[in-house]
Amino acid sequence: SEFSEKWRVAMGVLAGGRCSQLLLLGLLVLAVPLFVEAQDEEPAEGFGCPMEVTVPWTYAEEVKVDLSESVKFDDVANPLALSTICTCPAATDDGAISTVCTCEGPKEDDCDTYAHMMAVVMLTAEKFFGVFMHMSELEDKYHIQNISFFVVLGTILGWIGFIMILYSEIKAVLIVRERDERDRLLHGNYLKRNESKMKEMNAQEEAMLVPRPYLTMVGAVLLWLGFLVQLLPFCNILALIFPGLEFFKGMCWLFVILFTLVIGAASVLLLVGLIWSCTRGWAALVLVTLGLLGELLVFGGILPIILWLGLSVAVFYLYFKWA
């Protein structure tokens, strides 16, 4: 059928382009149920121009999606073969949870079944992946093409910090496990206690553990600097994704510094917790839990970040005081 042919051609173009196939698959999974629901509501003979597309969300401002420009490739003009333009009004104060968008185009097939389905897909993309859909415009506006140096530098710093933490904490875990095993053998009377030898071995182990806090702290700082150097050039784009920037009155750099501090601290807690999980289970569980909470709550804005910081301080205080 004509619809099947258009769909096959469009998918071939998209799959062969630079768009992420995983992103495309996710959009289709989100949009197909909406399309099926809309099909049930519309008459079977077709949609006709102009057509209405209902989506189960609202927009803060009026949104226009031009299907002829929503997907771009250097060597293909209008890969979707559509000239449809969909206009979605801004949300009103009546508490509506859905939006009726009006789509129209100059050609007859701009409002057929294929056009309706692609409209649902692209409206879904505009709502949930708007920043990525307009990445080419943002690249030109914020000169993202010129920041590869910072990305490479940040990656190097981050990996150096990651390796330093791994080396420091794994070495400490091996020493502690060896000490635990020795204590179990002594308590089970499998080894004869030699006080002078025990003092000598403990002194050697303590000497080996002396650099640990410095290595771990320096590694944590390098890991944070890696995140910061990589993300700071994307400051304006991050401000579009995360709501926390509103708290900083437009000072994007301050927002990125706090954001990367939380991400860095949570990543260090998560990494150290995973390393110690094989020998200090309860302590590792505390670290992993705080690390995961930090990674999740950072996306909620400034209030969840403050709550996470307060919770972390309280948990560490109680753990080190009573554990």
Side-chain angles (χ1 to χ4, degrees), residues 27-44:
L27 292 177
L28 292 176
V29 170
L30 287 172
V32 166
L34 301 178
F35 174 75
V36 172
E37 180 181 350
Q39 285 280 69
D40 294 338
E41 298 174 357
E42 296 289 340

Side-chain angles (χ1 to χ4, degrees), residues 8 48 51-52 60 65-66 94 97 100 128 147-148 175 180 189 199 222 237 239-240 280 284-286 291 299 307:
R8 183 187 65 79
M51 64 176 177
E52 292 186 347
V65 176
D66 189 341
D94 58 0
I97 59 175
V100 178
F128 297 102
I147 64 171
S148 57
I175 292 174
D180 291 343
N189 295 321
K199 290 181 180 180
L222 289 176
I237 296 179
L240 301 176
R280 293 292 186 271
L285 180 61
V286 173
F299 296 100
L307 292 176

Side-chain angles (χ1 to χ4, degrees), residues 4 21 36 98 130 171 184 206 234 253 257 288 320 322:
S4 300
Q21 295 183 15
V36 172
S98 61
K171 182 179 179 181
R184 281 194 291 268
E206 292 297 330
F234 293 96
W253 58 271
I257 289 176
V288 169
F320 286 107
W322 303 105

Side-chain angles (χ1 to χ4, degrees), residues 265-276:
S267 300
V268 171
L269 292 176
L270 183 59
L271 177 60
V272 174
L274 292 174
I275 293 173
W276 281 91

Side-chain angles (χ1 to χ4, degrees), residues 13-129:
V13 173
L14 290 175
R18 294 175 295 175
C19 288
S20 169
Q21 295 183 15
L22 290 178
L23 176 59
L24 177 60
L25 179 61
L27 292 177
L28 292 176
V29 170
L30 287 172
V32 166
L34 301 178
F35 174 75
V36 172
E37 180 181 350
Q39 285 280 69
D40 294 338
E41 298 174 357
E42 296 289 340
E45 59 268 14
F47 297 98
C49 274
M51 64 176 177
E52 292 186 347
V53 178
T54 302
V55 291
W57 52 72
T58 59
Y59 297 94
E61 300 177 351
E62 183 181 79
V63 171
K64 285 190 176 182
V65 176
D66 189 341
L67 299 189
S68 66
E69 298 181 355
S70 57
V71 179
K72 298 179 180 179
F73 300 113
D74 295 335
D75 53 346
V76 180
N78 192 6
L80 298 181
L82 291 171
S83 303
T84 311
I85 299 178
C86 295
T87 303
C88 302
T92 58
D93 297 331
D94 58 0
I97 59 175
S98 61
T99 303
V100 178
C101 304
T102 302
C103 302
E104 54 187 349
K107 300 183 298 183
E108 182 179 351
D109 57 358
D110 283 335
C111 295
D112 60 7
T113 303
Y114 164 73
H116 186 277
M117 184 169 187
M118 293 311 302
V120 173
V121 172
M122 291 307 164
L123 287 172
T124 304
E126 183 70 25
K127 176 64 177 180
F128 297 102
F129 305 98

Side-chain angles (χ1 to χ4, degrees), residues 132-194:
F132 303 101
M133 296 297 293
H134 299 284
M135 185 58 70
S136 60
E137 303 169 19
L138 296 173
E139 286 178 354
D140 296 334
K141 182 177 181 180
Y142 299 115
H143 309 290
I144 298 177
Q145 302 94 329
N146 303 323
I147 64 171
S148 57
F149 168 77
F150 296 97
V151 174
V152 173
L153 178 61
T155 301
I156 294 174
L157 291 175
W159 274 107
I160 293 175
F162 179 79
I163 293 172
M164 289 180 66
I165 296 173
L166 279 182
Y167 171 77
S168 173
E169 295 302 316
I170 290 178
K171 182 179 179 181
V173 167
L174 293 176
I175 292 174
V176 171
R177 285 180 64 87
E178 183 178 350
R179 184 180 293 175
D180 291 343
E181 182 64 22
R182 186 170 63 244
D183 291 340
R184 281 194 291 268
L185 293 174
L186 289 173
H187 292 155
N189 295 321
Y190 296 105
L191 287 179
K192 185 178 180 181
R193 180 178 292 275
N194 186 324

Side-chain angles (χ1 to χ4, degrees), residues 169-320:
E169 295 302 316
I170 290 178
K171 182 179 179 181
V173 167
L174 293 176
I175 292 174
V176 171
R177 285 180 64 87
E178 183 178 350
R179 184 180 293 175
D180 291 343
E181 182 64 22
R182 186 170 63 244
D183 291 340
R184 281 194 291 268
L185 293 174
L186 289 173
H187 292 155
N189 295 321
Y190 296 105
L191 287 179
K192 185 178 180 181
R193 180 178 292 275
N194 186 324
E195 294 297 337
S196 61
K197 185 65 175 177
M198 290 288 295
K199 290 181 180 180
E200 180 182 351
M201 294 180 65
N202 287 336
Q204 292 177 352
E205 292 170 349
E206 292 297 330
M208 295 175 66
L209 289 173
V210 168
R212 177 205 171 194
Y214 305 103
L215 288 174
T216 300
M217 286 189 292
V218 171
V221 171
L222 289 176
L223 186 64
W224 166 64
L225 286 177
F227 288 137
L228 179 63
V229 171
Q230 289 185 76
L231 295 181
L232 197 56
F234 293 96
C235 183
N236 295 285
I237 296 179
L238 291 174
L240 301 176
I241 301 175
F242 302 106
L245 184 61
E246 297 177 359
F247 177 81
F248 295 98
K249 308 300 182 183
M251 291 187 291
C252 183
W253 58 271
L254 184 59
F255 164 74
V256 174
I257 289 176
L258 179 60
F259 173 80
T260 53
L261 273 173
V262 176
I263 288 290
S267 300
V268 171
L269 292 176
L270 183 59
L271 177 60
V272 174
L274 292 174
I275 293 173
W276 281 91
S277 61
C278 61
T279 188
R280 293 292 186 271
W282 289 111
L285 180 61
V286 173
L287 295 178
V288 169
T289 302
L290 290 176
L292 289 175
L293 282 176
E295 300 284 2
L296 294 175
L297 293 180
V298 72
F299 296 100
I302 188 63
L303 181 58
I305 290 177
I306 294 176
L307 292 176
W308 178 77
L309 290 174
L311 177 64
S312 300
V313 171
V315 168
F316 278 118
Y317 174 79
L318 294 175
Y319 181 83
F320 286 107

